[in-house]
């Protein structure tokens, strides 16, 4: 396959990434991808190397969400590829554009049982928008441009490229012409003007309209348009970015407003987080409008009155422009929804000051809110403590990266590391339970090696609490299995790896410990012994 002189497949890959605007790769090394590292050195693209491939994918995901540009995850073949799968799947359901690059077994030996030969593109298919395999070095630049464009247009999401080891090493005498700049740019399609006008008319006729937004709509340029539309019309909007859907604690009880709405604009799929859009989710007679990037997605599970086909940002821009021609009657509705939030908040507010020992999780979250500046990066994991943090530490005050609709756990530590690199001037904090800490605890080593300060706030109740509470409810106290942990000193582990760590057992210790951790300038763990309570989403 090799030519006599010239450039390599790895060099063509890095040159294409640089042309796309990439500045950082999250990776775990392996034989097949070493040529990419060598090429990246000369191009000035930074490599953040991790301790697990899934952590690399989570970091790329956080980078993508907070910078509104694709993140890059580079792993080696076969086991490296499969290890990255959960992180990429999390990004897929979060509608996050992650370029998943995997080394591959040699193309010359395909079908012969070569070392680590695996059908990686088929494995990647269900959790990516597209998955391709490079067969020759000269194909790589066009594949990168196509991937970069595909990740960002329509409903954003990951794209995978398998890069066989011999293709990366292949030398060609003359490099192909680089893709033009517009080949990397997403194509944004607005919906038909008539559909936009009709949608706005339906919303303007309503007295209790709502907007429900999928994850990508609540980030970047689309979110800016969404907020402008809210400011103009007063129509409330809720994010659909959690597996708990309309019971997401970040809504503080406001999700129940969907049962009162007389018109809903669904900027999201009709999936489980919105109860598949079945009639019982909405009020009788509610007029349902749906926006989707593909007509095949419209009314996939339930009928709608009106469908709009187009991309979120230009669609919201068109809706905003059309909305200027109407009078909006939403003030009373906004007040009603705010009263719902205030009632829910008042019900739990006393726990923000609780002196209980072990510590109430809401007291811990409230103390963190008191010391954390607005605009900080906030990673929130799954599990019960993550939900208490989500109740208290809302997305209006922080740049939040949540585990997402896939419902995976353990992503918070790599999320916080990726967030700090994406937004170096902002503090980065993650809230996670003791069970989830174990998934990626060794990424403290990654953060120490690379000098990336962040604070992991661990709610330690010595249990897999979500599962424990469910077992207790369904089977009884004598049927609890595989849900107990030890009150482990996770702060000690952070110190052993070169970070900062403190144990907190009393409520008055929380704030000073958090302040010292934030001021340490190191990867830090504040390990707080809390009560094992069901999340606020589980409360009646």
């Amino acid at each position: 396959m090799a030519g006599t002189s010239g450039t390599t497949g790895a060099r063509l890959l890095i040159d294409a990434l640089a042309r796309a605007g990439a500045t950082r790769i999250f990776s775990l090394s392996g034989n097949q991808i070493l040529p990419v590292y060598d090429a990246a050195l000369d191009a000035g693209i930074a490599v953040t190397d991790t301790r697990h491939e899934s952590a690399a994918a989570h970091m790329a995901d956080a980078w993508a969400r907070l910078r509104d540009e694709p993140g890059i995850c580079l792993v080696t073949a076969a086991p490296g590829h499969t290890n990255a799968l959960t992180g990429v799947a999390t990004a897929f359901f979060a509608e996050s554009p992650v370029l998943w690059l995997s080394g591959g077994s040699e193309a010359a030996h395909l079908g012969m049982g070569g070392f680590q030969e695996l059908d990686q593109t088929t494995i990647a298919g269900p959790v990516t928008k597209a998955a391709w395999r490079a067969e020759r070095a000269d194909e790589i630049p066009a594949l990168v441009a196509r991937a970069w464009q595909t990740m960002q247009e329509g409903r954003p999401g990951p794209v995978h490229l398998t890069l066989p080891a011999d293709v990366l090493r292949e030398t060609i005498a003359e490099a192909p012409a680089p893709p033009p700049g517009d080949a990397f740019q997403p194509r944004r399609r607005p919906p038909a003007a008539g559909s936009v006008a009709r949608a706005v008319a339906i919303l303007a006729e309503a007295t209790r309209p709502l907007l429900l937004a999928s994850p990508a709509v609540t980030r970047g340029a689309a979110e800016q348009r969404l907020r402008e539309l809210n400011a103009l019309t007063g129509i409330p909007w809720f994010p659909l970015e959690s597996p708990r859907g309309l019971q997401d604690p970040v809504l503080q009880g406001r999700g129940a407003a969907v049962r009162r709405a007389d018109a809903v604009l669904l900027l999201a799929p009709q999936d489980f987080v919105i109860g598949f859009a079945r009639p019982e989710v909405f009020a009788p007679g509610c007029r349902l409008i749906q926006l989707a990037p593909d007509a095949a997605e419209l009314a996939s599970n339930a009928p709608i009155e009106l469908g709009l086909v187009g991309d979120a940002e230009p669609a919201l821009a068109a809706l905003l422009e059309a909305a200027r021609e109407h009078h909006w009657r939403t003030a009373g509705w906004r007040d009603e929804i705010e009263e719902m939030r205030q009632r829910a908040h008042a019900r739990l507010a006393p726990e923000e000051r609780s002196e209980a020992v072990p510590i109430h999780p809401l007291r811990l979250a409230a103390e963190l809110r008191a010391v954390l500046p607005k605009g900080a990066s906030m990673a929130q994991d799954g599990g019960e403590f993550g939900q208490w943090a989500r109740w208290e530490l809302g997305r209006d005050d922080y740049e939040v990266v949540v585990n997402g609709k896939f419902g995976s756990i353990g992503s918070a530590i790599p999320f916080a590391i990726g967030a700090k690199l994406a937004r170096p001037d902002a503090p980065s904090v993650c809230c996670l339970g003791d069970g989830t800490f174990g998934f990626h605890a060794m990424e403290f080593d990654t953060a120490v090696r690379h000098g990336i300060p962040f604070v992991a706030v661990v709610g330690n109740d010595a249990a897999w609490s979500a599962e424990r509470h469910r077992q207790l409810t369904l089977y009884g106290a004598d049927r609890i299995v595989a849900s107990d942990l030890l009150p482990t000193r996770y702060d000690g582990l952070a110190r052993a790896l070169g970070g900062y760590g403190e144990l907190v057992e009393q409520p008055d210790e929380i704030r000073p410990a958090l302040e010292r951790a934030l001021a340490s300038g190191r990867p830090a763990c504040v390990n707080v012994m809390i009560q094992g309570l069901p999340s606020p989403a589980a409360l009646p």
Side-chain angles (χ1 to χ4, degrees):
M1 295 180 68
T4 57
S5 63
T7 192
T8 65
R11 173 72 65 182
L12 290 171
L13 171 69
I14 289 296
D15 287 349
L17 291 175
R19 188 169 179 79
T23 57
R24 184 173 299 274
I25 294 171
F26 298 94
S27 184
L28 196 154
S29 64
N31 290 347
Q32 292 95 337
I33 59 174
L34 293 182
V36 181
Y37 291 168
D38 188 65
L41 279 173
D42 295 333
I45 294 180
V47 175
T48 302
D49 58 303
T50 68
R51 296 296 299 269
H52 195 281
E53 287 90 351
S54 196
H58 286 314
M59 292 179 198
D61 180 7
W63 175 279
R65 295 196 221 179
L66 293 179
R67 292 176 68 96
D68 197 29
E69 66 181 49
I72 304 171
C73 166
L74 170 66
V75 299
T76 197
H81 178 80
T82 56
N83 280 348
L85 196 62
T86 295
V88 175
T90 297
F92 179 75
F93 286 95
E95 302 174 358
S96 181
V98 170
L99 180 57
W100 176 18
L101 304 173
S102 298
S105 58
E106 294 192 348
H109 299 146
L110 184 63
M112 299 171 62
F115 175 59
Q116 295 189 335
E117 182 173 331
L118 190 67
D119 187 354
Q120 295 180 174
T121 56
T122 296
I123 290 170
V127 295
T128 58
K129 295 184 67 178
W132 303 302
R133 174 188 174 97
E135 303 298 337
R136 304 185 316 274
D138 60 7
E139 294 180 341
I140 290 176
L143 281 175
V144 170
R146 185 180 176 195
W148 207 262
Q149 183 180 73
T150 301
M151 281 188 293
Q152 299 179 82
E153 63 187 15
R155 192 174 302 287
V159 169
H160 168 68
L161 297 180
T162 282
L163 303 163
D166 51 349
V167 172
L168 289 173
R169 296 192 306 265
E170 179 186 354
T171 302
I172 58 176
E174 185 175 351
D182 61 1
F184 296 88
Q185 298 302 313
R187 296 159 294 188
R188 307 291 193 197
R189 299 171 304 151
S195 296
V196 170
R198 186 176 167 204
V200 170
I202 291 171
L203 293 171
E205 290 166 7
T207 57
R208 299 184 302 278
L210 274 181
L211 306 180
L212 302 178
S214 71
V217 181
T218 65
R219 300 192 295 264
E223 181 188 17
Q224 180 60 36
R225 297 293 192 186
L226 185 61
R227 290 187 180 277
E228 290 172 1
L229 185 62
N230 168 259
L232 174 69
T233 66
I235 301 176
W237 65 275
F238 300 156
L240 299 175
E241 58 187 1
S242 159
R244 307 203 182 205
L246 294 170
Q247 289 187 308
D248 185 350
V250 81
L251 297 177
Q252 293 194 336
R254 288 172 291 171
V258 170
R259 285 289 301 158
R260 296 264 301 131
D262 55 1
V264 171
L265 173 54
L266 182 60
L267 305 162
Q270 292 186 352
D271 61 12
F272 76 101
V273 299
I274 189 63
F276 307 103
R278 291 171 178 153
E280 59 267 26
V281 174
F282 306 104
C286 178
R287 306 177 73 180
L288 185 59
I289 310 162
Q290 186 180 8
L291 169 72
D294 190 323
E297 189 181 294
L298 294 173
S300 60
N301 291 316
I304 57 177
E305 180 170 335
L306 175 64
L308 291 78
V309 178
D311 295 327
E313 192 278 330
L316 286 164
L319 289 164
L320 178 64
E321 189 61 29
R324 300 186 195 280
E325 305 301 320
H326 290 264
H327 174 68
W328 297 92
R329 306 170 294 160
T330 56
W333 174 231
R334 292 199 311 271
D335 293 344
E336 183 179 336
I337 291 177
E338 175 57 20
E339 287 172 8
M340 294 174 69
R341 188 200 67 79
Q342 289 179 2
R343 287 195 300 270
H345 185 268
R347 183 163 52 101
L348 289 176
E351 306 302 347
E352 297 176 345
R353 302 178 295 277
S354 170
E355 294 294 329
V357 177
I359 292 165
H360 195 289
L362 197 57
R363 171 68 186 270
L364 171 54
E367 294 288 349
L368 179 56
R369 179 169 54 82
V371 302
L372 195 62
K374 289 188 176 183
S377 298
M378 166 60 62
Q380 297 167 341
D381 217 314
E384 300 302 79
F385 175 58
Q387 303 309 306
W388 284 104
R390 193 152 171 78
W391 175 278
E392 186 73 16
L393 301 157
R395 61 192 329 279
D396 287 338
D397 294 329
Y398 307 103
E399 293 292 330
V400 173
V401 184
V402 67
N403 66 319
K405 290 164 57 176
F406 191 50
S408 66
I409 58 175
S411 54
I413 290 174
F415 274 169
I417 295 171
K420 183 62 179 177
L421 290 170
R423 306 177 69 237
D425 295 333
S428 182
V429 173
C430 61
C431 292
L432 68 162
D434 49 328
T436 57
F437 184 91
F439 278 71
H440 290 299
M442 287 304 295
E443 298 309 324
F444 267 87
D445 169 77
T446 299
V448 168
R449 285 185 291 106
H450 289 279
I452 306 169
F454 74 99
V455 178
V457 181
V458 180
N460 189 341
D461 58 7
W464 296 100
S465 282
E467 289 68 32
R468 201 175 202 283
H469 293 307
R470 189 166 181 81
Q471 285 183 330
L472 182 64
T473 300
L474 294 176
Y475 309 115
D478 61 339
R479 307 289 291 179
I480 293 174
V481 178
S483 295
D484 292 325
L485 297 171
L486 295 173
T488 302
R489 292 293 300 273
Y490 301 109
D491 54 300
L493 178 58
R495 289 195 301 273
L497 292 171
Y500 180 87
E502 285 200 44
L503 174 68
V504 172
E505 297 179 290
Q506 300 293 327
D508 61 359
E509 298 171 350
I510 301 171
R511 192 175 302 191
L514 291 172
E515 290 172 340
R516 287 189 290 268
L518 286 163
S520 71
R522 288 189 278 165
C525 172
V526 180
N527 182 27
V528 184
M529 306 309 297
I530 65 169
Q531 299 176 47
L533 299 175
S535 80
L539 297 176

